[in-house]
Amino acid sequence: PGGGNLNTGIMFVGEGPGFEEDKQSRPFVGRSGQFLTNAMQKVGIDRSQVYITNVVKCRPPDNRDPLPGELTACNEYLDGQVALINPRIIVTLGRFSMRKWFPEGSITRLHGQVKNIGHGRIAVAMFHPAAALRNPQWAVEFEKDFQILPRLIERAKRANEAAARGETLVIADAATD
Ligand code: URA
């Protein structure tokens, strides 16, 4: 279903398990995972601090795109994970994950954008690491987009502190709604 820190404020949501992930029952442990882990490290995020999952929980045969019925079937599990982990920040990796919280627009236009999604949560759209591995221009954009995360994490911490005082602080001031 996913893996990582259950007490985290930040959740990454990819597409679906690939060959390695299927074998090991852990998300993002293949080449894309290595690229993702490196991008996190470059902005000071240790992978052990975050939770990582996918929109579909079973490997689509031959790595094909998830089908609409598969996305629908897995949606309640993803909703359950979000409700249980209750992250402040959801980072969507790739267009299938982006579509859940950004129903309109292409990833080439939306990547790097932040959106308030209710419950004191934001979603941030990012390219899929596999797409970044295929396209050097997207790799540059992918790493650039990651640079907004430390600021959002800092804001999320302040939002938690405000909540403890009974106040509300919006995490993303430049958010699109
Ligand atoms: N690609 C994904 O979308 N998810 C994984 O877990 C691995 C590769």
Side-chain angles (χ1 to χ4, degrees):
N5 193 328
L6 300 175
N7 297 310
T8 188
I10 178 162
M11 184 166 169
F12 289 76
V13 183
E15 187 175 310
F19 178 79
E20 270 307 315
E21 290 76 20
D22 200 27
K23 223 166 59 178
Q24 297 186 36
S25 295
R26 293 179 58 224
F28 283 103
V29 287
R31 260 186 89 221
S32 299
Q34 190 53 253
F35 190 78
L36 174 65
T37 307
N38 282 344
M40 285 184 195
Q41 273 167 356
K42 283 187 185 166
V43 296
I45 300 172
D46 192 292
R47 199 179 148 137
S48 65
Q49 298 169 347
V50 309
Y51 189 82
I52 309 179
T53 188
N54 287 303
V55 280
V56 293
K57 309 304 183 187
C58 297
R59 182 182 178 212
D62 303 320
N63 294 341
R64 63 152 167 72
D65 289 347
L67 300 173
E70 293 165 348
L71 291 162
T72 306
C74 289
N75 192 45
E76 65 176 297
Y77 297 106
L78 181 56
D79 282 342
Q81 288 173 300
V82 171
L84 284 170
I85 291 164
N86 197 19
R88 285 282 190 182
I89 303 166
I90 295 176
V91 180
T92 68
L93 300 168
R95 63 205 160 99
F96 292 99
S97 163
M98 180 187 83
R99 221 16 109 229
K100 180 169 167 65
W101 291 283
F102 297 81
E104 304 279 327
S106 70
I107 194 158
T108 45
R109 198 172 61 79
L110 288 179
H111 74 93
Q113 284 203 29
V114 176
K115 181 180 186 182
N116 284 309
I117 55 169
H119 308 278
R121 250 194 277 295
I122 56 167
V124 193
M126 306 265 185
F127 282 115
H128 194 284
L133 278 170
R134 279 195 305 269
N135 181 328
Q137 178 58 35
W138 289 356
V140 172
E141 298 291 331
F142 184 81
E143 296 202 345
K144 219 190 278 171
D145 291 340
F146 261 61
Q147 288 169 12
I148 62 180
L149 291 178
R151 184 174 58 83
L152 294 175
I153 291 169
E154 194 49 46
R155 289 280 294 181
K157 273 190 203 141
R158 280 201 252 134
N160 286 343
E161 288 159 10
R165 294 192 303 270
E167 297 162 15
T168 304
L169 180 77
V170 176
I171 304 173
D173 27 29
T176 52
D177 283 304

